[in-house]
Amino acid sequence: MDEINFAVLGTGGIGRRTLEVSTYKDGLTPVAACDRHGVAVNHDGLDVEEILDATEGNIAGDGTGDTEDKRVTDGGAAVKQHGDGAGIVASAQGTSTETPIDEIIAESDEIDAVLLALPNLEHDFIPRIAERFAEAEFEGVLIDVLKRSRVIGMLDDREETLVESGITFVCGAGATPGLLTGAAALAAQSFVEVEEVEIWWGVGLKSGYEDNRGTVREDIAHLDGYDIETAREMDESEIEAVIEEHDGVLEFNDMEHADDVLLERAGICDAEDVTVGGILDIRKDEKPTTTTVRVTGRTFDGKRGTNTFQLDDATSMAANVNGPALGYLKSAVRRNRAGDYGVFGPAELMPGF
Amino acid sequence: MDEINFAVLGTGGIGRRTLEVSTYKDGLTPVAACDRHGVAVNHDGLDVEEILDATEGNIAGDGTGDTEDKRVTDGGAAVKQHGDGAGIVASAQGTSTETPIDEIIAESDEIDAVLLALPNLEHDFIPRIAERFAEAEFEGVLIDVLKRSRVIGMLDDREETLVESGITFVCGAGATPGLLTGAAALAAQSFVEVEEVEIWWGVGLKSGYEDNRGTVREDIAHLDGYDIETAREMDESEIEAVIEEHDGVLEFNDMEHADDVLLERAGICDAEDVTVGGILDIRKDEKPTTTTVRVTGRTFDGKRGTNTFQLDDATSMAANVNGPALGYLKSAVRRNRAGDYGVFGPAELMPGF
């Protein structure tokens, strides 16, 4: 396969680590990155180390989602002001702009794939970004790491627009959904009928907390008594109070997690047969529980069994998001070049099981 | 994706069960099958149930490989004479022929994919079949479930011929290599460097023994003191003596198993970092050990861990071969239609990790 150039929208935890992991992969060249302060573009390849060094500490915003219109329409992930420049502008490669996403879109003729590493506190935020790329007649891959089931439907609503532009949109291509969705699709291959998929994750986020405040806020929305809207409106001290109340350990059961619709659309099982839960420990880096996918089904010869996939506790959330995201990105570029446009989930990029 | 028509060469255990499992899959129509006695072709779809019923007991040959030239050049898997007709000729859909593979090749314009479910006791048997399809300018997918590393090289030697014809050849697309190779590729995604892949399988084959004599003979070749040549020359009583000597339980360590080269060619790890072993119990249907894939690697953030994939003991070898084989077949047809020709392993059909 030919070389792939890609851009990253958002330089929070996921964006930064994806740039970093890409340096370990063959054939993947990061050529653009932006946050809401600025943009860095170099079609010969960004100097990733310089960007990471210059923006160290320029971590994702406070997680409030910065609901000013300006943010939603013009910006990537929020970053804290730090050093001489804010966000990516602190890098020698960065230039300040009020319209960073438009600047990336203006360069997109020469970009094969764009990773949307943006918080999606408004359900249609990512879908609207996709629309803007489609309006500019971008022909290539858009890929996100979103979690919420309902966003997939919003992307489907825009499928015709995406197809007309020549966009292959891969949604939910991180850890879960993403790596674990793919694992479920693989584990299902022993069975002619899948009865149940149980995804159970553990995340220890002490040292990664600052980088992942947006993710933690999204997770809080899944706790009993909270939803996306209430979580978005909480201020930092309220978030901290919730964490304190749970002694830093948040357990989630039966989350709204896009694995369900992503497995259904790949024909693996019905969405209602998928359950997702997990435990997040914000005060330790050790995982509070082992991330496990269990797929239970019936074989062609009438047996019933459960296949299991487990991630080592030593693998961080970041490791399990960024490797798969880049893998799915490469796969999607192949599909895009073959003329497969529209909306895809990670399980649909697996062998045609 | 459009409908896929496929043919099966060989109606031993794997061929028969693949026909059966295909009836559970959407968009897959078996249109041709052959063994060394005859051929059944119906481009509207074979009546799988009738074929399976009619040939029940027409199991794979005695595993000697029937080294007469006639077999190698003209025939599919050997079947025992049974009932009124031998092999597939016992089916109302079957017709007798001395050149079954040629008959399938003659129909191949209308066939998208061909599963080679033939024993490969001579290393170059499958590669030579591939050549015959290429000589007939077949444009489509050939897929096998072979196990031996060295055969991949023989296919690579013929890659130019395959590409010229428009053939996408997928090798080693069963359980292991196949399902477990894919699992290793998936499990590797947490890591930027894979240090070790350990594949350990358990098979209980009491009731499936008659259907899988060829497979058992191939496995014996991996025992200390045996090789492919000596195993092929053993008669039935010698095979039974080896089984008796081990009380029906054969343990294999560090087998020559194509998972190694198939993972290397997909860029997952070096072939030498892959070990394959397992236990085969011919006197019980219960698995003597749990089939497990362990992938150990280093994450981008400097941790070391082992991700694990386990198949439930209740899933039979047949279940774990045929589902994945058809899944890889579907994926390969997509690649073929996109113009990707040549030799591929299962891990190369995974998302572009």
Side-chain angles (χ1 to χ4, degrees):
Chain A
M1 191 162 62
D2 298 326
E3 296 291 303
I4 295 173
N5 296 324
F6 76 102
V8 173
L9 305 194
T11 53
I14 290 172
R16 289 169 54 81
R17 297 310 155 214
T18 303
L19 290 172
E20 183 175 352
V21 172
S22 74
T23 64
Y24 292 94
K25 301 258 177 185
D26 291 334
L28 272 180
T29 308
V31 293
C34 74
D35 58 27
R36 69 171 172 141
H37 296 281
V39 61
V41 178
N42 182 343
H43 290 292
D44 295 325
L46 294 172
D47 179 347
V48 170
E49 196 177 341
E50 191 274 340
I51 286 184
L52 295 181
D53 285 348
T55 60
E56 190 68 52
N58 279 343
I59 46 167
D62 63 4
T64 60
D66 190 3
T67 52
E68 295 164 40
D69 279 342
K70 178 168 156 288
R71 159 75 180 313
V72 173
T73 51
D74 291 339
V79 295
K80 282 188 178 159
Q81 180 117 13
H82 177 89
D84 290 337
I88 205 157
V89 181
S91 156
Q93 300 167 79
T95 53
S96 179
T97 172
E98 298 211 332
T99 55
I101 293 179
D102 289 335
E103 306 261 336
I104 300 279
I105 289 174
E107 304 282 342
S108 64
D109 265 7
E110 294 179 64
I111 297 174
D112 298 313
V114 179
L115 175 74
L116 310 177
L118 303 165
N120 186 41
L121 287 160
E122 293 173 25
H123 296 309
D124 65 349
F125 181 56
I126 296 285
R128 283 195 287 132
I129 300 267
E131 259 177 15
R132 287 167 60 188
F133 274 89
E135 281 159 15
E137 298 185 339
F138 174 59
E139 194 175 334
V141 168
L142 297 177
I143 182 164
D144 72 35
V145 294
L146 63 82
K147 297 179 178 183
R148 262 168 289 150
S149 307
R150 71 188 80 173
V151 182
I152 316 294
M154 293 180 181
L155 287 164
D156 281 337
D157 292 343
R158 291 159 172 84
E159 184 152 42
E160 200 179 324
T161 307
L162 299 176
V163 169
E164 274 168 20
S165 176
I167 290 172
T168 304
F169 195 110
V170 183
C171 41
T176 176
L179 176 59
L180 302 188
T181 327
L186 185 94
Q189 297 323 302
S190 304
F191 309 117
V192 292
E193 190 187 337
V194 171
E195 296 172 357
E196 190 175 14
V197 174
E198 297 162 277
I199 294 177
W200 180 252
W201 52 263
V203 172
L205 206 57
K206 186 183 175 193
S207 54
Y209 180 44
E210 288 302 316
D211 259 7
N212 289 282
R213 284 174 178 263
T215 297
V216 171
R217 184 181 288 268
E218 275 217 52
D219 285 338
I220 283 176
H222 293 288
L223 288 175
D224 277 349
Y226 297 88
D227 60 23
I228 293 293
E229 286 68 31
T230 54
R232 191 173 53 205
E233 283 158 19
M234 292 164 77
D235 64 25
E236 275 303 281
S237 67
E238 287 171 312
I239 297 275
E240 295 305 324
V242 171
I243 293 169
E244 182 64 37
E245 189 188 322
H246 290 80
D247 290 327
V249 181
L250 306 179
E251 179 167 337
F252 305 91
N253 290 287
D254 213 2
M255 305 172 77
E256 180 198 337
H257 228 265
D259 299 277
D260 56 357
V261 293
L262 294 173
L263 286 168
E264 180 167 300
R265 62 187 294 141
I268 306 296
C269 60
D270 292 338
E272 65 193 19
D273 297 327
V274 181
T275 56
V276 180
I279 303 179
L280 171 66
D281 189 337
I282 291 156
R283 296 188 179 158
K284 289 186 182 144
D285 277 335
E286 290 70 46
K287 290 191 183 182
T289 186
T290 298
T291 298
T292 305
V293 179
R294 289 179 213 280
V295 178
T296 300
R298 196 171 49 79
T299 65
F300 82 101
D301 45 4
K303 298 290 196 301
R304 197 165 175 276
T306 301
N307 293 340
T308 310
F309 179 71
Q310 284 197 318
L311 296 177
D312 193 298
D313 288 350
T315 63
S316 64
M317 183 180 77
N320 292 320
V321 166
N322 298 322
L326 290 171
Y328 288 122
L329 182 153
K330 289 167 77 174
S331 185
V333 169
R334 188 193 302 281
R335 296 288 280 268
N336 185 264
R337 288 173 178 169
D340 287 343
Y341 309 136
V343 180
F344 297 82
E348 291 164 274
L349 299 181
M350 298 288 286
F353 294 141
Chain B
M1 193 162 59
D2 297 326
E3 296 292 303
I4 295 173
N5 296 323
F6 75 101
V8 172
L9 305 194
T11 53
I14 289 171
R16 290 168 55 80
R17 298 310 155 213
T18 303
L19 290 171
E20 185 177 350
V21 172
S22 75
T23 65
Y24 292 94
K25 300 258 177 186
D26 292 334
L28 271 180
T29 307
V31 295
C34 74
D35 57 28
R36 70 172 171 140
H37 296 281
V39 63
V41 178
N42 182 343
H43 290 291
D44 295 325
L46 295 172
D47 179 346
V48 169
E49 196 177 341
E50 192 273 341
I51 287 184
L52 294 181
D53 285 348
T55 58
E56 190 67 54
N58 278 345
I59 46 167
D62 64 3
T64 60
D66 189 4
T67 52
E68 294 164 41
D69 279 344
K70 176 168 157 286
R71 158 73 180 316
V72 173
T73 52
D74 291 338
V79 295
K80 281 189 178 159
Q81 179 117 15
H82 177 87
D84 291 337
I88 206 158
V89 182
S91 157
Q93 300 165 80
T95 53
S96 178
T97 173
E98 298 210 332
T99 54
I101 292 178
D102 289 335
E103 306 262 335
I104 300 280
I105 289 173
E107 304 282 343
S108 64
D109 265 5
E110 295 178 63
I111 296 174
D112 299 312
V114 180
L115 176 74
L116 310 177
L118 303 165
N120 186 40
L121 287 161
E122 294 174 25
H123 295 309
D124 65 348
F125 180 56
I126 296 284
R128 283 196 287 133
I129 300 266
E131 261 177 13
R132 288 167 61 188
F133 274 88
E135 282 160 13
E137 298 185 339
F138 174 59
E139 194 175 334
V141 168
L142 297 176
I143 182 165
D144 71 35
V145 293
L146 63 82
K147 297 178 178 183
R148 260 167 290 151
S149 307
R150 73 186 81 172
V151 182
I152 317 293
M154 293 182 180
L155 287 164
D156 281 337
D157 291 343
R158 290 159 172 85
E159 184 152 41
E160 200 179 325
T161 308
L162 299 176
V163 169
E164 275 169 20
S165 176
I167 290 173
T168 304
F169 195 110
V170 183
C171 41
T176 177
L179 176 59
L180 302 189
T181 327
L186 185 93
Q189 296 323 301
S190 305
F191 309 117
V192 292
E193 190 187 337
V194 171
E195 297 172 356
E196 190 175 15
V197 174
E198 298 162 277
I199 294 176
W200 180 251
W201 53 262
V203 172
L205 207 57
K206 186 183 176 194
S207 56
Y209 180 43
E210 289 301 318
D211 259 8
N212 290 283
R213 283 174 179 264
T215 297
V216 172
R217 184 181 287 266
E218 276 217 52
D219 284 338
I220 282 176
H222 292 289
L223 288 176
D224 277 350
Y226 297 88
D227 60 24
I228 294 292
E229 286 68 31
T230 54
R232 190 172 53 205
E233 282 158 20
M234 292 165 77
D235 65 24
E236 275 303 280
S237 67
E238 288 171 313
I239 296 276
E240 295 305 323
V242 171
I243 293 170
E244 182 64 36
E245 188 188 322
H246 290 80
D247 291 327
V249 181
L250 306 178
E251 179 167 337
F252 305 91
N253 289 288
D254 213 4
M255 305 172 76
E256 180 197 338
H257 228 265
D259 299 276
D260 56 358
V261 292
L262 294 173
L263 286 167
E264 179 167 299
R265 64 188 294 139
I268 306 297
C269 59
D270 292 339
E272 64 194 19
D273 297 327
V274 181
T275 57
V276 180
I279 304 179
L280 171 66
D281 189 338
I282 291 155
R283 297 190 177 155
K284 290 187 181 140
D285 277 334
E286 289 71 46
K287 290 191 182 181
T289 186
T290 298
T291 298
T292 305
V293 179
R294 288 179 214 280
V295 177
T296 300
R298 195 172 50 79
T299 64
F300 82 102
D301 45 4
K303 298 291 195 303
R304 197 165 173 274
T306 301
N307 293 341
T308 310
F309 180 70
Q310 283 198 317
L311 296 176
D312 193 298
D313 288 350
T315 63
S316 64
M317 184 179 75
N320 292 321
V321 167
N322 298 322
L326 289 171
Y328 287 123
L329 183 152
K330 289 167 76 174
S331 184
V333 169
R334 187 192 303 279
R335 295 288 279 268
N336 185 264
R337 289 174 178 168
D340 286 344
Y341 309 135
V343 179
F344 296 82
E348 290 165 275
L349 299 181
M350 298 288 285
F353 294 142

